[in-house]
Amino acid sequence: MRKHTVQIDSQTCIGCGLCRKDCPTNNIQLENKKAKIIAQDCIMCGHCVAVCPKAAVSMTGFDEPPEEIGKPTVLDPQTLSAAIKTRRSIRQFTKQQVPAEVIAQVIEAGRLTPTGGNAQDVSFIVLKDEMDRFEKLAVKLFRRLLPLMKLVNPAARRTDIDDHFFFKKAPAAIVLVSRNQVNGSLAAANMELMAEACGLGVLYSGFFSMAVNRSRALRKMFQLKRGDKAVMTLVLGYPAVTYRRTVQKDPAAVRQF
Ligand SMILES: Cc1cc2nc3c(=O)[nH]c(=O)nc-3n(C[C@H](O)[C@H](O)[C@H](O)COP(=O)(O)O)c2cc1C
Ligand code: SF4
Ligand code: SF4
């Protein structure tokens, strides 16, 4: 994360204490009915900025200003539930290209996803023009590993690693990179939802992510640093398949105490 600081304009502050109450790191105190930041080593979550009724708090070093929130956006639970229920992994794509602005919108959903400790430690590798080159390396690796997999995994015995095993001839993919598996996975889930909202079909490719993590050549080409992981790969394109009904799933395993 870049270096940022939190500032409070004491002229504007009315000493209501809302920022202090909502700060997750106890980093704000009230002195003479004015809020004061204790140190600049907090997690820079911006709750103090977001909650202040007088817009007296600001954070430096960002490319974007905070936006005023009018009426809060509330998702309609039925629509959301239907979207979650009817989405499917897409493995057949049309040849239609994904416009750059749609890719940007999907990445934006990942950028805005929360991260533990506000680490903002997820980055994105967009694959479009050179997908074949990267897929070839991954295919080569998996063809080498397949005999071993066949020994332990019955499904692998029926698997053929064809030339399009990973990307299924899709026009684009985004690899999510992070040191933190959870942060990367949360971003991936929101990006999937956004991609679906933009009319795209998505395949979570755990296999391509695995290939990246195991291939020295791919790690080098993608400039992954030590500790970085390809947490997930979203294969993206317009679906060439229509699903006519939902899929049955087992009941939720719930324990209540
Ligand atoms: C973490 C994760 C990794 C996955 N990796 C792959 C993959 O590498 N290749 C593939 O064909 N499907 C992959 N899938 C898709 C799953 O097989 C699929 O989600 C599951 O069978 C349920 O089908 P649905 O997504 O259509 O509901 C992955 C799914 C998840 C959540
Ligand atoms: S940015 Fe977050 S952690 Fe830092 S002072 Fe504001 S509310 Fe507290
Ligand atoms: S929320 Fe705003 S007005 Fe209230 S104490 Fe904090 S800085 Fe001052």
Side-chain angles (χ1 to χ4, degrees):
M1 203 173 24
R2 290 192 209 162
K3 188 84 194 127
H4 303 288
T5 61
V6 200
Q7 327 252 317
I8 295 179
D9 178 355
S10 59
Q11 299 290 322
T12 323
C13 173
I14 54 167
C16 69
L18 288 177
C19 55
R20 189 175 71 94
K21 199 170 170 200
D22 204 49
C23 172
T25 64
N26 290 323
N27 193 32
I28 302 174
Q29 61 191 23
L30 283 180
E31 266 179 31
N32 303 322
K33 296 202 176 145
K34 296 285 176 188
K36 200 176 149 206
I37 298 294
I38 296 170
Q40 294 295 348
D41 57 5
C42 68
I43 61 172
M44 297 292 160
C45 67
H47 273 229
C48 47
V49 177
V51 83
C52 177
K54 293 290 170 190
V57 194
S58 55
M59 285 165 71
T60 64
F62 289 98
D63 299 339
E64 57 182 6
E67 288 169 30
E68 294 302 312
I69 303 172
K71 200 165 161 259
T73 309
V74 181
L75 288 174
D76 160 26
Q78 266 172 343
T79 311
L80 182 59
S81 175
I84 293 170
K85 199 178 211 175
T86 56
R87 62 140 295 284
R88 295 268 76 82
S89 295
I90 299 301
R91 298 184 180 87
Q92 301 178 67
F93 297 93
T94 68
K95 286 189 177 12
Q96 190 183 341
Q97 291 298 312
V98 184
E101 56 275 19
V102 174
I103 298 268
Q105 204 167 359
V106 171
I107 290 175
E108 185 68 351
R111 178 179 85 91
L112 296 177
T113 300
T115 46
N118 197 29
Q120 300 181 47
D121 53 359
V122 183
S123 61
F124 311 92
I125 301 169
V126 178
L127 306 181
K128 271 180 113 175
D129 301 337
E130 297 186 59
M131 287 176 84
D132 285 352
R133 185 156 73 95
F134 300 123
E135 188 169 37
K136 251 186 204 144
L137 284 169
V139 163
K140 202 169 141 192
L141 175 73
F142 262 49
R143 282 186 183 148
R144 229 175 46 228
L145 296 177
L146 190 62
L148 277 176
M149 290 181 189
K150 284 188 177 186
L151 292 177
V152 290
N153 183 340
R157 284 175 212 141
R158 295 190 303 275
T159 301
D160 172 35
I161 314 281
D162 64 45
D163 292 347
H164 306 286
F165 178 74
F166 296 96
F167 296 149
K168 319 286 182 200
K169 302 186 185 171
I174 302 175
V175 184
L176 286 96
V177 175
S178 182
R179 291 167 172 258
N180 186 310
Q181 192 96 20
V182 176
N183 290 345
S185 304
L186 291 176
N190 273 350
M191 289 166 75
E192 192 209 13
L193 272 181
M194 177 56 82
E196 300 254 341
C198 294
L200 293 173
V202 181
L203 174 66
Y204 283 117
S205 182
F207 283 150
F208 187 73
S209 318
M210 197 191 295
V212 172
N213 292 326
R214 286 178 186 216
S215 157
R216 209 179 294 176
L218 282 170
R219 286 187 68 87
K220 199 167 166 204
M221 284 163 142
F222 290 152
Q223 299 165 9
L224 298 198
K225 299 201 189 83
R226 188 187 281 222
D228 275 351
K229 268 186 112 171
V231 173
M232 185 39 68
T233 304
L234 301 177
V235 178
L236 302 168
Y238 293 93
V241 54
T242 304
Y243 294 107
R244 296 179 188 281
R245 57 199 61 82
T246 60
V247 168
Q248 292 147 296
K249 295 219 174 195
D250 291 326
V254 181
R255 259 162 295 193
Q256 199 165 310
F257 298 97

PDB file of all heavy atoms in Angstrom, residues 87-91 165-166 168 192 203-208 232 243 247 249, ligand 1:
ATOM      1  N   ARG A  87     -25.808 -18.825 -11.628  1.00  0.00           N
ATOM      2  CA  ARG A  87     -24.502 -18.727 -12.283  1.00  0.00           C
ATOM      3  C   ARG A  87     -23.913 -20.122 -12.429  1.00  0.00           C
ATOM      4  O   ARG A  87     -24.161 -20.989 -11.601  1.00  0.00           O
ATOM      5  CB  ARG A  87     -23.537 -17.831 -11.483  1.00  0.00           C
ATOM      6  CG  ARG A  87     -23.241 -18.364 -10.090  1.00  0.00           C
ATOM      7  CD  ARG A  87     -21.823 -18.224  -9.621  1.00  0.00           C
ATOM      8  NE  ARG A  87     -20.851 -18.964 -10.354  1.00  0.00           N
ATOM      9  CZ  ARG A  87     -20.643 -20.272 -10.254  1.00  0.00           C
ATOM     10  NH1 ARG A  87     -21.391 -21.050  -9.500  1.00  0.00           N
ATOM     11  NH2 ARG A  87     -19.687 -20.854 -10.946  1.00  0.00           N
ATOM     12  N   ARG A  88     -23.174 -20.332 -13.510  1.00  0.00           N
ATOM     13  CA  ARG A  88     -22.495 -21.611 -13.687  1.00  0.00           C
ATOM     14  C   ARG A  88     -21.079 -21.349 -14.162  1.00  0.00           C
ATOM     15  O   ARG A  88     -20.787 -20.306 -14.743  1.00  0.00           O
ATOM     16  CB  ARG A  88     -23.187 -22.495 -14.756  1.00  0.00           C
ATOM     17  CG  ARG A  88     -24.592 -22.956 -14.428  1.00  0.00           C
ATOM     18  CD  ARG A  88     -24.634 -24.324 -13.734  1.00  0.00           C
ATOM     19  NE  ARG A  88     -24.257 -24.271 -12.334  1.00  0.00           N
ATOM     20  CZ  ARG A  88     -25.073 -23.922 -11.309  1.00  0.00           C
ATOM     21  NH1 ARG A  88     -26.308 -23.587 -11.528  1.00  0.00           N
ATOM     22  NH2 ARG A  88     -24.627 -23.921 -10.078  1.00  0.00           N
ATOM     23  N   SER A  89     -20.218 -22.303 -13.921  1.00  0.00           N
ATOM     24  CA  SER A  89     -18.885 -22.233 -14.510  1.00  0.00           C
ATOM     25  C   SER A  89     -19.037 -22.364 -16.017  1.00  0.00           C
ATOM     26  O   SER A  89     -19.682 -23.301 -16.489  1.00  0.00           O
ATOM     27  CB  SER A  89     -18.034 -23.408 -14.021  1.00  0.00           C
ATOM     28  OG  SER A  89     -17.816 -23.297 -12.648  1.00  0.00           O
ATOM     29  N   ILE A  90     -18.459 -21.437 -16.738  1.00  0.00           N
ATOM     30  CA  ILE A  90     -18.594 -21.462 -18.202  1.00  0.00           C
ATOM     31  C   ILE A  90     -17.317 -22.043 -18.812  1.00  0.00           C
ATOM     32  O   ILE A  90     -16.207 -21.585 -18.522  1.00  0.00           O
ATOM     33  CB  ILE A  90     -18.873 -20.029 -18.729  1.00  0.00           C
ATOM     34  CG1 ILE A  90     -20.192 -19.500 -18.139  1.00  0.00           C
ATOM     35  CG2 ILE A  90     -18.909 -20.002 -20.257  1.00  0.00           C
ATOM     36  CD1 ILE A  90     -21.436 -20.316 -18.443  1.00  0.00           C
ATOM     37  N   ARG A  91     -17.506 -23.046 -19.652  1.00  0.00           N
ATOM     38  CA  ARG A  91     -16.350 -23.689 -20.307  1.00  0.00           C
ATOM     39  C   ARG A  91     -16.483 -23.666 -21.832  1.00  0.00           C
ATOM     40  O   ARG A  91     -15.700 -24.287 -22.523  1.00  0.00           O
ATOM     41  CB  ARG A  91     -16.209 -25.129 -19.806  1.00  0.00           C
ATOM     42  CG  ARG A  91     -15.934 -25.232 -18.307  1.00  0.00           C
ATOM     43  CD  ARG A  91     -15.704 -26.668 -17.866  1.00  0.00           C
ATOM     44  NE  ARG A  91     -15.439 -26.767 -16.445  1.00  0.00           N
ATOM     45  CZ  ARG A  91     -16.386 -26.869 -15.492  1.00  0.00           C
ATOM     46  NH1 ARG A  91     -17.653 -26.862 -15.829  1.00  0.00           N
ATOM     47  NH2 ARG A  91     -16.051 -26.971 -14.223  1.00  0.00           N
ATOM     48  N   PHE A 165      -6.774 -26.729 -22.538  1.00  0.00           N
ATOM     49  CA  PHE A 165      -7.214 -27.294 -21.254  1.00  0.00           C
ATOM     50  C   PHE A 165      -7.536 -26.216 -20.222  1.00  0.00           C
ATOM     51  O   PHE A 165      -8.479 -26.343 -19.453  1.00  0.00           O
ATOM     52  CB  PHE A 165      -6.095 -28.201 -20.712  1.00  0.00           C
ATOM     53  CG  PHE A 165      -6.396 -28.798 -19.372  1.00  0.00           C
ATOM     54  CD1 PHE A 165      -7.314 -29.829 -19.244  1.00  0.00           C
ATOM     55  CD2 PHE A 165      -5.765 -28.322 -18.226  1.00  0.00           C
ATOM     56  CE1 PHE A 165      -7.598 -30.382 -17.996  1.00  0.00           C
ATOM     57  CE2 PHE A 165      -6.041 -28.869 -16.974  1.00  0.00           C
ATOM     58  CZ  PHE A 165      -6.973 -29.905 -16.867  1.00  0.00           C
ATOM     59  N   PHE A 166      -6.768 -25.124 -20.232  1.00  0.00           N
ATOM     60  CA  PHE A 166      -6.926 -24.107 -19.177  1.00  0.00           C
ATOM     61  C   PHE A 166      -7.915 -23.006 -19.571  1.00  0.00           C
ATOM     62  O   PHE A 166      -8.775 -22.649 -18.781  1.00  0.00           O
ATOM     63  CB  PHE A 166      -5.575 -23.477 -18.843  1.00  0.00           C
ATOM     64  CG  PHE A 166      -4.606 -24.468 -18.264  1.00  0.00           C
ATOM     65  CD1 PHE A 166      -3.671 -25.099 -19.064  1.00  0.00           C
ATOM     66  CD2 PHE A 166      -4.645 -24.778 -16.909  1.00  0.00           C
ATOM     67  CE1 PHE A 166      -2.790 -26.025 -18.538  1.00  0.00           C
ATOM     68  CE2 PHE A 166      -3.778 -25.703 -16.368  1.00  0.00           C
ATOM     69  CZ  PHE A 166      -2.849 -26.321 -17.178  1.00  0.00           C
ATOM     70  N   LYS A 168      -9.919 -22.763 -22.458  1.00  0.00           N
ATOM     71  CA  LYS A 168     -11.135 -23.157 -23.211  1.00  0.00           C
ATOM     72  C   LYS A 168     -11.439 -22.197 -24.374  1.00  0.00           C
ATOM     73  O   LYS A 168     -12.602 -21.885 -24.638  1.00  0.00           O
ATOM     74  CB  LYS A 168     -12.360 -23.209 -22.276  1.00  0.00           C
ATOM     75  CG  LYS A 168     -12.118 -23.816 -20.901  1.00  0.00           C
ATOM     76  CD  LYS A 168     -11.979 -25.290 -20.966  1.00  0.00           C
ATOM     77  CE  LYS A 168     -11.796 -25.913 -19.603  1.00  0.00           C
ATOM     78  NZ  LYS A 168     -11.213 -27.242 -19.638  1.00  0.00           N
ATOM     79  N   GLU A 192     -16.206 -12.079 -10.039  1.00  0.00           N
ATOM     80  CA  GLU A 192     -17.083 -12.985 -10.785  1.00  0.00           C
ATOM     81  C   GLU A 192     -18.490 -12.401 -10.888  1.00  0.00           C
ATOM     82  O   GLU A 192     -19.092 -12.373 -11.961  1.00  0.00           O
ATOM     83  CB  GLU A 192     -17.136 -14.379 -10.143  1.00  0.00           C
ATOM     84  CG  GLU A 192     -17.818 -15.361 -11.094  1.00  0.00           C
ATOM     85  CD  GLU A 192     -18.557 -16.508 -10.432  1.00  0.00           C
ATOM     86  OE1 GLU A 192     -18.793 -16.473  -9.213  1.00  0.00           O
ATOM     87  OE2 GLU A 192     -18.933 -17.435 -11.165  1.00  0.00           O
ATOM     88  N   LEU A 203     -15.006 -18.794 -15.686  1.00  0.00           N
ATOM     89  CA  LEU A 203     -14.537 -20.070 -15.124  1.00  0.00           C
ATOM     90  C   LEU A 203     -13.433 -19.757 -14.122  1.00  0.00           C
ATOM     91  O   LEU A 203     -12.445 -19.102 -14.461  1.00  0.00           O
ATOM     92  CB  LEU A 203     -13.975 -20.966 -16.238  1.00  0.00           C
ATOM     93  CG  LEU A 203     -13.323 -22.264 -15.741  1.00  0.00           C
ATOM     94  CD1 LEU A 203     -14.362 -23.203 -15.103  1.00  0.00           C
ATOM     95  CD2 LEU A 203     -12.607 -22.994 -16.867  1.00  0.00           C
ATOM     96  N   TYR A 204     -13.625 -20.205 -12.901  1.00  0.00           N
ATOM     97  CA  TYR A 204     -12.527 -20.134 -11.926  1.00  0.00           C
ATOM     98  C   TYR A 204     -11.529 -21.206 -12.338  1.00  0.00           C
ATOM     99  O   TYR A 204     -11.858 -22.391 -12.305  1.00  0.00           O
ATOM    100  CB  TYR A 204     -13.017 -20.501 -10.526  1.00  0.00           C
ATOM    101  CG  TYR A 204     -13.792 -19.452  -9.785  1.00  0.00           C
ATOM    102  CD1 TYR A 204     -15.119 -19.670  -9.437  1.00  0.00           C
ATOM    103  CD2 TYR A 204     -13.195 -18.268  -9.392  1.00  0.00           C
ATOM    104  CE1 TYR A 204     -15.842 -18.732  -8.712  1.00  0.00           C
ATOM    105  CE2 TYR A 204     -13.917 -17.316  -8.672  1.00  0.00           C
ATOM    106  CZ  TYR A 204     -15.238 -17.558  -8.341  1.00  0.00           C
ATOM    107  OH  TYR A 204     -15.938 -16.625  -7.626  1.00  0.00           O
ATOM    108  N   SER A 205     -10.334 -20.826 -12.728  1.00  0.00           N
ATOM    109  CA  SER A 205      -9.365 -21.861 -13.098  1.00  0.00           C
ATOM    110  C   SER A 205      -8.345 -22.062 -11.984  1.00  0.00           C
ATOM    111  O   SER A 205      -7.300 -21.405 -11.952  1.00  0.00           O
ATOM    112  CB  SER A 205      -8.666 -21.527 -14.414  1.00  0.00           C
ATOM    113  OG  SER A 205      -7.777 -22.587 -14.718  1.00  0.00           O
ATOM    114  N   GLY A 206      -8.688 -22.979 -11.084  1.00  0.00           N
ATOM    115  CA  GLY A 206      -7.729 -23.375 -10.056  1.00  0.00           C
ATOM    116  C   GLY A 206      -6.525 -24.022 -10.705  1.00  0.00           C
ATOM    117  O   GLY A 206      -5.386 -23.857 -10.251  1.00  0.00           O
ATOM    118  N   PHE A 207      -6.751 -24.733 -11.818  1.00  0.00           N
ATOM    119  CA  PHE A 207      -5.653 -25.445 -12.475  1.00  0.00           C
ATOM    120  C   PHE A 207      -4.615 -24.470 -13.033  1.00  0.00           C
ATOM    121  O   PHE A 207      -3.423 -24.686 -12.894  1.00  0.00           O
ATOM    122  CB  PHE A 207      -6.188 -26.334 -13.604  1.00  0.00           C
ATOM    123  CG  PHE A 207      -6.822 -27.609 -13.127  1.00  0.00           C
ATOM    124  CD1 PHE A 207      -7.862 -28.200 -13.845  1.00  0.00           C
ATOM    125  CD2 PHE A 207      -6.382 -28.250 -11.972  1.00  0.00           C
ATOM    126  CE1 PHE A 207      -8.450 -29.387 -13.416  1.00  0.00           C
ATOM    127  CE2 PHE A 207      -6.970 -29.436 -11.533  1.00  0.00           C
ATOM    128  CZ  PHE A 207      -8.004 -30.005 -12.254  1.00  0.00           C
ATOM    129  N   PHE A 208      -5.078 -23.386 -13.688  1.00  0.00           N
ATOM    130  CA  PHE A 208      -4.078 -22.462 -14.239  1.00  0.00           C
ATOM    131  C   PHE A 208      -3.303 -21.791 -13.108  1.00  0.00           C
ATOM    132  O   PHE A 208      -2.084 -21.608 -13.193  1.00  0.00           O
ATOM    133  CB  PHE A 208      -4.705 -21.408 -15.162  1.00  0.00           C
ATOM    134  CG  PHE A 208      -3.659 -20.583 -15.860  1.00  0.00           C
ATOM    135  CD1 PHE A 208      -2.902 -21.128 -16.877  1.00  0.00           C
ATOM    136  CD2 PHE A 208      -3.388 -19.272 -15.455  1.00  0.00           C
ATOM    137  CE1 PHE A 208      -1.888 -20.392 -17.505  1.00  0.00           C
ATOM    138  CE2 PHE A 208      -2.380 -18.523 -16.070  1.00  0.00           C
ATOM    139  CZ  PHE A 208      -1.640 -19.085 -17.100  1.00  0.00           C
ATOM    140  N   MET A 232      -6.018 -17.112  -7.732  1.00  0.00           N
ATOM    141  CA  MET A 232      -7.113 -17.581  -8.587  1.00  0.00           C
ATOM    142  C   MET A 232      -6.939 -17.004  -9.983  1.00  0.00           C
ATOM    143  O   MET A 232      -6.319 -15.957 -10.146  1.00  0.00           O
ATOM    144  CB  MET A 232      -8.466 -17.141  -7.980  1.00  0.00           C
ATOM    145  CG  MET A 232      -9.691 -17.650  -8.687  1.00  0.00           C
ATOM    146  SD  MET A 232      -9.614 -19.351  -9.290  1.00  0.00           S
ATOM    147  CE  MET A 232      -9.593 -20.292  -7.782  1.00  0.00           C
ATOM    148  N   TYR A 243     -27.898 -22.351 -19.882  1.00  0.00           N
ATOM    149  CA  TYR A 243     -28.384 -23.349 -18.924  1.00  0.00           C
ATOM    150  C   TYR A 243     -29.863 -23.120 -18.679  1.00  0.00           C
ATOM    151  O   TYR A 243     -30.302 -21.992 -18.501  1.00  0.00           O
ATOM    152  CB  TYR A 243     -27.571 -23.261 -17.622  1.00  0.00           C
ATOM    153  CG  TYR A 243     -26.134 -23.650 -17.868  1.00  0.00           C
ATOM    154  CD1 TYR A 243     -25.116 -22.707 -17.891  1.00  0.00           C
ATOM    155  CD2 TYR A 243     -25.812 -24.974 -18.145  1.00  0.00           C
ATOM    156  CE1 TYR A 243     -23.812 -23.064 -18.163  1.00  0.00           C
ATOM    157  CE2 TYR A 243     -24.506 -25.345 -18.432  1.00  0.00           C
ATOM    158  CZ  TYR A 243     -23.512 -24.381 -18.435  1.00  0.00           C
ATOM    159  OH  TYR A 243     -22.238 -24.740 -18.716  1.00  0.00           O
ATOM    160  N   VAL A 247     -28.996 -26.156 -10.638  1.00  0.00           N
ATOM    161  CA  VAL A 247     -28.309 -27.406 -10.308  1.00  0.00           C
ATOM    162  C   VAL A 247     -28.604 -27.732  -8.844  1.00  0.00           C
ATOM    163  O   VAL A 247     -28.607 -26.834  -7.998  1.00  0.00           O
ATOM    164  CB  VAL A 247     -26.791 -27.228 -10.544  1.00  0.00           C
ATOM    165  CG1 VAL A 247     -26.008 -28.377  -9.957  1.00  0.00           C
ATOM    166  CG2 VAL A 247     -26.508 -27.074 -12.037  1.00  0.00           C
ATOM    167  N   LYS A 249     -27.939 -28.968  -5.166  1.00  0.00           N
ATOM    168  CA  LYS A 249     -26.766 -28.983  -4.276  1.00  0.00           C
ATOM    169  C   LYS A 249     -27.181 -29.601  -2.951  1.00  0.00           C
ATOM    170  O   LYS A 249     -28.364 -29.570  -2.588  1.00  0.00           O
ATOM    171  CB  LYS A 249     -26.256 -27.564  -4.039  1.00  0.00           C
ATOM    172  CG  LYS A 249     -25.736 -26.902  -5.304  1.00  0.00           C
ATOM    173  CD  LYS A 249     -24.494 -26.085  -5.030  1.00  0.00           C
ATOM    174  CE  LYS A 249     -23.919 -25.571  -6.339  1.00  0.00           C
ATOM    175  NZ  LYS A 249     -22.560 -25.088  -6.199  1.00  0.00           N
TER     176      LYS A 249
HETATM  177  C1  LIG B   1     -11.614 -22.582  -6.378  1.00  0.00           C
HETATM  178  C2  LIG B   1     -12.155 -23.188  -7.644  1.00  0.00           C
HETATM  179  C3  LIG B   1     -11.287 -23.703  -8.604  1.00  0.00           C
HETATM  180  C4  LIG B   1     -11.785 -24.254  -9.770  1.00  0.00           C
HETATM  181  N1  LIG B   1     -10.923 -24.704 -10.753  1.00  0.00           N
HETATM  182  C5  LIG B   1     -11.413 -25.206 -11.913  1.00  0.00           C
HETATM  183  C6  LIG B   1     -10.531 -25.603 -12.976  1.00  0.00           C
HETATM  184  O1  LIG B   1      -9.302 -25.444 -12.894  1.00  0.00           O
HETATM  185  N2  LIG B   1     -11.063 -26.129 -14.110  1.00  0.00           N
HETATM  186  C7  LIG B   1     -12.417 -26.288 -14.246  1.00  0.00           C
HETATM  187  O2  LIG B   1     -12.859 -26.773 -15.311  1.00  0.00           O
HETATM  188  N3  LIG B   1     -13.286 -25.901 -13.271  1.00  0.00           N
HETATM  189  C8  LIG B   1     -12.819 -25.355 -12.111  1.00  0.00           C
HETATM  190  N4  LIG B   1     -13.684 -24.917 -11.138  1.00  0.00           N
HETATM  191  C9  LIG B   1     -15.143 -25.039 -11.346  1.00  0.00           C
HETATM  192  C10 LIG B   1     -15.809 -26.089 -10.446  1.00  0.00           C
HETATM  193  O3  LIG B   1     -15.572 -27.375 -10.969  1.00  0.00           O
HETATM  194  C11 LIG B   1     -17.295 -25.761 -10.412  1.00  0.00           C
HETATM  195  O4  LIG B   1     -17.467 -24.527  -9.728  1.00  0.00           O
HETATM  196  C12 LIG B   1     -18.159 -26.805  -9.729  1.00  0.00           C
HETATM  197  O5  LIG B   1     -18.092 -28.017 -10.428  1.00  0.00           O
HETATM  198  C13 LIG B   1     -19.621 -26.379  -9.646  1.00  0.00           C
HETATM  199  O6  LIG B   1     -20.121 -26.047 -10.910  1.00  0.00           O
HETATM  200  P1  LIG B   1     -20.731 -24.580 -11.160  1.00  0.00           P
HETATM  201  O7  LIG B   1     -19.639 -23.600 -10.887  1.00  0.00           O
HETATM  202  O8  LIG B   1     -21.161 -24.570 -12.593  1.00  0.00           O
HETATM  203  O9  LIG B   1     -21.863 -24.427 -10.218  1.00  0.00           O
HETATM  204  C14 LIG B   1     -13.194 -24.338  -9.973  1.00  0.00           C
HETATM  205  C15 LIG B   1     -14.057 -23.801  -9.018  1.00  0.00           C
HETATM  206  C16 LIG B   1     -13.546 -23.211  -7.881  1.00  0.00           C
HETATM  207  C17 LIG B   1     -14.522 -22.608  -6.886  1.00  0.00           C
END
